[in-house]
Amino acid sequence: MLRAEFTPKLITALREGISSRQLTQDLMAGVIVGVVALPLAIAFAIASGVKPEQGLYTAIVAGFLISALSGSRVQIGGPTGAFIVIVYGIVEKYGYDGLATATLLAGGLLIAMGLARLGTVIKFIPYPVTVGFTAGIALIILVGQVRDFFGLQMEKVPAEFPEKVAAFAEHFGSFNPLAAVIAGATVLVILFWPRLTHRVPGSLVAIIATTAAVQLLNLPVETIGSRFGEVPNTLPAPHLPGISWELCRQMFSPALTIALLAGIESLLSAVVADGMTERRHRSNMELVAQGVANLAAPIFGGIPATGAIARTATNIKNGGRTPIAGIVHAVTLLLIMLFFGKWAALIPMATLAGILAIVAWNMSETHLFIKMFRGPKSDILVLVSTFLLTVLVDLTVAIQVGVVLAALLFMRRMAEVTQVGYVTNMLNEDDEENPNDPLSLSRRKVPAGVEVFEVSGPFFFGAADKFKNAIRAVEGKPRILILRMRHVLSLDATALQALESVHARTRREQTTLILSGVHAQPLIVLERSGLLDKIGTDNVHGNIDDALNRARALLDLPAEPRPGPFVPTVSREREGQSRG
């Protein structure tokens, strides 16, 4: 089982055998996805504040390793829009060495997470957090394209969102109509080209058409070459970046964010792929593959990489069903860079801005963001907080605060659903908890001097205070206090301390504490803590009847027989229907 869990799907596919027909489909799908990935790799790199070729290096090296080692048969890896915000911030503050260090650390963290079998746990990142930071990233990407979309004449774009917006407003007078036309044409081509065919990606058509127009008409717009110079057409020699202990310490928090983003996006992509192919991925092996890819990418001058949902879906729609397609996608990018890399310098920056504008819009999933506002107020709070922190502060802070806030609100909800009932008091007030319950106390005789409490729901630190307050409601000093725990499936340290406090109080007041309906986990906790010995095993019972008879024995009263078989109450209307 362990060996299968950490076996790449490539090995599984090769063992099963790949038919010549499927191999042909994988080759075709790989070529198509490689062509689709070309403009995205360049655009994501530029938007992240690094050189365009570094996006290609990442798509080639990391894309190859992710497909070769992936826990999914059809995963396509490379740079994605999710990393733009965090990568841009790191590069602005620490340079490429800082980014490379953070990427290496993230790779190590991803491998550790996979080996620790956290592939399923990482899926429990709250949905409002994911939607919030994804929408925030999309907005930042979209706003970040204003300069190139409208051809604004600016030396440098500020990293922070408010300053960025202010700078764009200040320089909007340098607006270039030709750049806006090219960017707008790119958007229109990408939106409407699929109506003609899905075989050739609209982004590639837009790049070829706008680049040709700019060069043939000699249009005065900025290109990749005019800003960055020539694009290399070879992979760089592998080398380790400059790493120091101080830099590692500073980069740990961003690295953790990169690792979480890579893990979340790759597993989400794998889940989407499972739905499209009716297969099942190996989540822990997927994390290991992402880790290895992010260890290798900075050695070749790359940036963080993860599974790309859109490219993975493109792979599946074009017939890719084995990791061969993903490997071919990386090889296709390598060949394009080797033979056509120098032509990439001619691509207009406005074209890339148009492509990224579409990417940002698709990434935002506005309908999901709006739909969340129809949910619980606590989820709305988490959503809005994560979104605003992503946009206005920092993605790392947004994820940390979002997860912690969601956890705190969840614990509050769990504490609210935990009920501590003064059962005997309710009986005296004719307010029975559930008359149709076969274990209801109303069907049993509670001796004088005996009080019964019941805890229903999760009994953890969030509900401990409610439990203590309810116990204080006991009037006088009963001779025996029965605590029903039939609905308590788990007990934590704080709840245990609350029980110990109640036990200490009952001893001071010379009241005997009896526990009823104790499940396995709470019983183990009681035993390990020593509280079971203090209460006494004779005072811990599996059901309320035994607990009441124990109370009678302590009071020198005769035992009562168990109530007879329970017959649920049936209304006359329903009884007549059943007879009919």
Side-chain angles (χ1 to χ4, degrees):
M1 185 66 182
L2 177 63
R3 186 176 300 175
E5 184 181 2
F6 290 100
T7 300
K9 285 288 186 169
L10 175 61
I11 295 177
T12 303
L14 292 175
R15 285 173 179 171
E16 294 175 353
I18 302 174
S19 66
S20 57
R21 181 172 178 272
Q22 183 57 59
L23 182 61
T24 302
Q25 289 181 336
D26 288 335
L27 291 173
M28 291 299 297
V31 171
I32 292 171
V33 176
V35 173
V36 170
L38 174 67
L40 294 176
I42 295 173
F44 289 146
I46 293 173
S48 299
V50 297
K51 297 178 180 178
E53 61 266 24
Q54 290 180 278
L56 290 174
Y57 300 158
T58 306
I60 294 168
V61 175
F64 179 90
L65 291 172
I66 287 172
S67 294
L69 302 175
S70 177
S72 168
R73 288 175 179 258
V74 292
Q75 185 79 280
I76 301 295
T80 67
F83 289 126
I84 288 176
V85 176
I86 186 70
V87 170
Y88 190 90
I90 294 173
V91 172
E92 281 288 303
K93 190 171 182 180
Y94 300 99
Y96 180 73
D97 282 347
L99 175 62
T101 301
T103 307
L104 288 170
L105 289 173
L109 287 171
L110 282 164
I111 292 174
M113 289 159 63
L115 295 178
R117 294 183 176 84
L118 296 181
T120 53
V121 175
I122 202 170
K123 297 176 185 177
F124 295 125
I125 298 292
Y127 187 62
V129 175
T130 304
V131 174
F133 77 67
T134 302
I137 291 171
L139 178 60
I140 293 173
I141 294 173
L142 185 63
V143 172
Q145 304 317 304
V146 169
R147 172 193 180 184
D148 293 328
F149 199 101
F150 296 102
L152 305 185
Q153 300 300 310
M154 299 175 61
E155 285 287 329
K156 194 175 183 181
V157 177
E160 302 300 327
F161 186 83
E163 289 83 352
K164 187 179 296 184
V165 173
F168 289 153
E170 181 183 348
H171 291 84
F172 208 78
S174 60
F175 166 75
N176 184 345
L178 289 174
V181 169
I182 291 171
T186 299
V187 170
L188 292 175
V189 169
I190 294 174
L191 290 176
F192 292 103
W193 182 259
R195 297 186 180 184
L196 298 177
T197 179
H198 288 276
R199 288 293 179 182
V200 181
S203 57
L204 180 64
V205 174
I207 283 179
I208 294 174
T210 56
T211 301
V214 167
Q215 296 303 313
L216 292 174
L217 301 176
N218 197 26
L219 300 178
V221 295
E222 194 171 17
T223 64
I224 291 177
S226 64
R227 183 180 296 181
F228 297 99
E230 292 185 1
V231 177
N233 58 355
T234 59
L235 278 176
H239 69 284
L240 282 173
I243 301 175
S244 66
W245 170 250
E246 178 62 22
L247 196 57
C248 288
R249 188 183 63 81
Q250 293 174 333
M251 290 296 102
F252 183 79
S253 183
L256 182 59
T257 302
I258 291 173
L260 285 174
L261 279 175
I264 293 169
E265 190 163 2
S266 64
L267 293 179
L268 181 60
S269 176
V271 169
V272 171
D274 287 350
M276 297 177 70
T277 62
E278 297 184 353
R279 294 272 190 175
R280 290 188 63 185
H281 71 280
R282 295 168 183 152
S283 56
N284 294 317
M285 187 62 226
E286 183 62 34
L287 290 182
V288 172
Q290 300 296 331
V292 172
N294 280 282
L295 283 177
I299 295 176
F300 287 89
I303 59 178
T306 186
I309 298 175
R311 277 161 274 173
T312 299
T314 302
N315 178 36
I316 296 169
K317 290 177 182 177
N318 285 279
R321 290 296 182 274
T322 76
I324 297 296
I327 293 173
V328 171
H329 133 270
V331 173
T332 300
L333 282 170
L334 176 62
L335 294 175
I336 291 174
M337 186 183 71
L338 292 176
F339 295 102
F340 302 102
K342 61 181 181 179
W343 301 105
L346 303 178
I347 299 174
M349 295 299 298
T351 300
L352 296 181
I355 293 172
L356 284 176
I358 295 295
V359 169
W361 176 253
N362 293 335
M363 185 179 180
S364 68
E365 296 189 310
T366 309
H367 63 288
L368 295 179
F369 190 87
I370 296 173
K371 183 180 178 181
M372 290 292 296
F373 282 88
R374 296 197 293 266
K377 292 181 179 179
S378 57
D379 288 343
I380 296 173
L381 176 61
V382 173
L383 172 75
V384 174
S385 299
T386 307
F387 174 77
L388 292 177
L389 286 171
T390 299
V391 175
L392 301 176
V393 183
D394 179 70
L395 179 59
T396 303
V397 174
I399 293 177
Q400 293 170 348
V401 171
V403 171
V404 171
L405 184 59
L408 290 174
L409 291 171
F410 172 77
M411 288 185 286
R412 191 188 74 173
R413 286 198 297 268
M414 289 299 98
E416 288 173 350
V417 301
T418 301
Q419 301 297 322
V420 184
Y422 191 176
V423 183
T424 44
N425 191 46
M426 288 194 296
L427 291 177
N428 294 334
E429 296 175 359
D430 295 326
D431 187 18
E432 167 56 43
E433 72 271 37
N434 185 359
N436 290 332
D437 184 359
L439 298 176
S440 169
L441 207 63
S442 63
R443 306 183 69 244
R444 291 158 174 80
K445 295 179 181 179
V446 180
V450 177
E451 299 289 356
V452 182
F453 265 79
E454 180 163 8
V455 181
S456 180
F459 195 14
F460 69 116
F461 62 89
D465 192 58
K466 180 185 289 189
F467 171 72
K468 291 179 181 178
N469 291 334
I471 290 292
R472 294 191 189 103
V474 178
E475 297 179 358
K477 299 178 181 179
R479 293 184 61 185
I480 295 173
L481 178 64
I482 297 178
L483 179 61
R484 298 190 75 179
M485 300 175 63
R486 55 179 175 155
H487 298 305
V488 177
L489 300 180
S490 63
L491 201 67
D492 74 351
T494 308
L496 177 65
Q497 190 277 331
L499 278 177
E500 290 177 339
S501 176
V502 170
H503 177 258
R505 174 186 168 183
T506 57
R507 290 192 62 179
R508 287 194 306 270
E509 297 176 352
Q510 297 184 338
T511 297
T512 301
L513 178 65
I514 297 177
L515 303 183
S516 166
V518 183
H519 288 274
Q521 192 272 351
L523 187 63
I524 292 172
V525 172
L526 291 171
E527 184 178 9
R528 288 178 177 174
S529 67
L531 183 57
L532 182 63
D533 292 333
K534 294 178 182 178
I535 296 174
T537 54
D538 291 341
N539 295 325
V540 179
H541 298 275
N543 59 73
I544 188 62
D545 295 311
D546 290 341
L548 286 172
N549 280 329
R550 170 61 178 167
R552 294 187 184 98
L554 293 172
L555 296 172
D556 293 325
L557 297 175
E560 292 280 344
R562 296 174 184 268
F566 173 67
V567 180
T569 302
V570 180
S571 67
R572 291 183 179 275
E573 180 182 355
R574 291 188 61 187
E575 186 177 3
Q577 289 175 354
S578 64
R579 288 178 180 175

